[in-house]
Amino acid sequence: MRTDNYQHHDYYLVDELLSEEHKLIRDTVRAWVKREVTPIIEDVCQKATFHKPWIKGLAEIGAFGPFIPEEYGGPGLDYIAYGIMMQELERGDSGVRSTASVQGSLVMYPIYAFGSEEQKRKYLPKLAKGELVGCFGLTEPDYGSNPAGMITRIEDKGDYYLLNGAKMWISNAPIADIAVVWAKDDNGEIRGIIVERGMEGFSTPETHGKWSLRASATGELVFDNVKVPKENLLPNIKGLKGPLSCLNSARYGIAWGAIGAALDCYDSALRYSKERIQFGKPIGAFQLQQKKLAEMITEITKAQLLAWRLGVLKNENRATPAQISMAKRNNVYMALNIAREARQIHGGMGITGEFPIMRHMMNLESVITYEGTHDIHLLITGMDITGFNAFQ
Ligand code: TGC
Ligand code: FAD
C-alpha cells in the first residue's frame, strides 16, 4: 500500500481565481483519492482488474455528470468545478478519471443534450448515482481518427431498429449496463442510440494486455442483429456533430485531468530531489535537476491558467471546439513530458510501483491518443487559424 504524501502546489496563486465552493470540491475529491485510490492503485494496476467499489464512491462525491442539473439527479455544478474534479481524480490515476469522464461527458451529456424527456428521466438519475454504468461507442476497428467513415448500421424495421457492427477501444465497456452507440441509419446519417446490456446479440468482450490505463476496463462492443426499441434512439441529434459535441465536454475534462497527473509527478520528483543524496548532496541541489523541476512547475502553471480560462469560456458557453483542442493537446503533452522527466529524477526507483511516475506515464500514452490524437488536435488548430483542412 502506498502512502499519499501529496501536497498542494499553487505557484501562481491560481486558487484566488476559484470560488470557496470550487476549493471545497477540490478538497473533497482529493481526500477521497487519498483515502480510496492511492492506497490500492498500484495493486489494481498490477492486476489490471476494475475496482468496482470506486463506482459508488465516485457517485457519492458527485463525479458522475457534475454539470447535469439537479432535476435529472446531477449536482448542477459549473464547468470549473467539473474540471477540478477531473484534475483531482487524474492525480490519483487517469483510469479513474476516465471512468468518471466517460460516464459524465460521453453518456450523461448526450442523453441530457439530445435525449427525450423519458430517456433523461429513465437514465440520468441512475447514472448519477452509479446505479447504472455507461460507455460510449464511436471508434471502430477501421475508423478511429476518422469516425465519419463508420460502418455500424441501424436499419429501421418498423417496430424496432436492427443494429449491426462493432466498436473498439471502448472505456467502461466490460462493466457497462448501457452504451451510447453511434451508427449510420438507412439514409447514411449518424444517429445515437442507447443499447442495454442483456439485449440479444449484444456483447462486450474485454481488451486484455494493455500496458496503459490498467485501472480502467476497456473492451469492444459487438452488435449482431441487435433489436433495439425505437424509443432508445436519441431523437434530437443527427450527424457527426452529435458525438463530436460530447467529445468537447470530455476533452475539456482531460485538459484539467492531465494537470493532476503532472502535479502528482512533480510533487513526487520534488520530494525525492530533496531526500535523495548523491555525491554528498541532495540531487535537488544540482543545477541539472533544478532545471527539470523549474521547467515542470512553469509548464504546470501555464497549463493551469489555460484550463482555468477555458473553464470561464465554457461556463459562458463561448469555448470553441478548437480552443478545447488546444488545451487538451497542450496539457496532455505537458503532463507526459513531466512524467518522463520525473522518471529520470527518480533514477531507477522511478520505474517501480513505489512511486506513481511510471504508471502516470503509461496512462498518459493513452490519454494523448484517445479523445482525438495529438496530431488530430494540431490539425484542428491548424484548420482554425488558416481555414485550410489538412485532414484529407
Ligand atoms: P467535419 O466535417 O469537420 O465535421 C462534421 C460536423 O461536425 C461538426 N463538428 C463539431 N461539432 C461539435 N464539436 C466539435 N468538436 C466538432 N467538430 C466538428 C462540424 O461543424 C460539422 O457539422 P455540420 O453541421 O456541418 O454537419 O468532420 P470530419 O469528418 O472532417 O472530422 C473532423 C475531425 C477529424 C476533427 C473529427 O472527426 C475528430 O475529432 N476525430 C477524432 C476522433 C476522436 O476524437 N475520437 C474519440 C473517440 S471517444 C474516446 O476516445 C473516448 S476516451 C474516453 C476516456 O476513457 O476518457
Ligand atoms: P488512427 O486513427 O489509426 O491513427 C494512427 C496514427 O495516424 C495517429 O498517430 C494519428 O494521429 C495519425 N493520423 C490519423 N489521421 C491522420 C491525418 N489525417 N493526418 C495526420 N495523421 C493522422 N473510443 C471510443 O469511441 N470510446 C471510448 O470510450 C474510447 N476509449 C479508449 C480507451 C483507450 C485506452 C484507448 C487507447 C482508446 C480509446 N478510444 C475510445 C479510441 C480512441 O479515441 C482512438 O484510439 C483514437 O481516436 C485514435 O484512433 P486509432 O487508434 O484508430 O488511430
Side-chain angles (χ1 to χ4, degrees), residues 97-99 101-102 106 136 138-139 144-148 169 171 213 216 239-242 244-245 247-248 250-251 254 321 369-373 376-377 380 383 389 391-392:
R97 195 269 307 137
S98 250
T99 303
S101 51
V102 168
L106 298 182
F136 174 88
L138 179 64
T139 306
S145 296
N146 178 25
W169 289 119
S171 302
L213 287 186
S216 157
L240 189 59
K241 61 179 177 292
L244 292 181
S245 311
L247 298 185
N248 292 336
R251 290 167 177 173
I254 291 173
T369 287
Y370 68 31
E371 297 280 1
T373 69
I376 291 296
H377 289 297
I380 290 172
M383 185 164 74
N389 178 339
F391 291 107
Q392 34 200 309

Side-chain angles (χ1 to χ4, degrees), residues 79 83 86-87 90 97 247-260 262 299-314 318-336 364 367-382 384-385:
Y79 271 92
M86 297 304 110
Q87 174 185 294
E90 194 144 2
R97 195 269 307 137
L247 298 185
N248 292 336
S249 178
R251 290 167 177 173
Y252 166 79
I254 291 173
W256 281 86
I259 298 170
E299 291 307 315
I300 287 170
T301 302
K302 284 152 66 180
Q304 284 174 322
L305 291 167
L306 195 60
W308 174 80
R309 177 64 186 151
L310 188 64
V312 171
L313 292 174
K314 194 128 176 63
R318 290 198 295 146
T320 66
Q323 287 169 336
I324 295 170
S325 281
M326 181 185 279
K328 189 269 184 185
R329 180 175 188 274
N330 181 79
N331 290 10
V332 176
Y333 189 61
M334 171 282 298
L336 188 51
L364 288 162
V367 182
I368 203 165
T369 287
Y370 68 31
E371 297 280 1
T373 69
H374 195 60
D375 298 330
I376 291 296
H377 289 297
L378 177 124
L379 295 175
I380 290 172
T381 306
D384 196 47
I385 59 178

Side-chain angles (χ1 to χ4, degrees), residues 329-348:
R329 180 175 188 274
N330 181 79
N331 290 10
V332 176
Y333 189 61
M334 171 282 298
L336 188 51
N337 284 336
I338 284 179
R340 288 169 178 158
E341 294 289 294
R343 216 289 302 146
Q344 292 199 52
I345 290 178
H346 287 78

Side-chain angles (χ1 to χ4, degrees), residues 66-80:
F67 42 77
I68 297 292
E70 287 177 13
E71 65 170 313
Y72 296 114
L77 298 170
D78 73 1
Y79 271 92
I80 292 192

Side-chain angles (χ1 to χ4, degrees), residues 109-120 194 233-236:
Y109 173 80
I111 294 173
Y112 173 65
F114 311 129
S116 65
E117 192 55 32
E118 295 71 40
Q119 290 168 342
K120 292 185 214 183
I194 303 167
L233 190 78
L234 296 177
N236 301 322

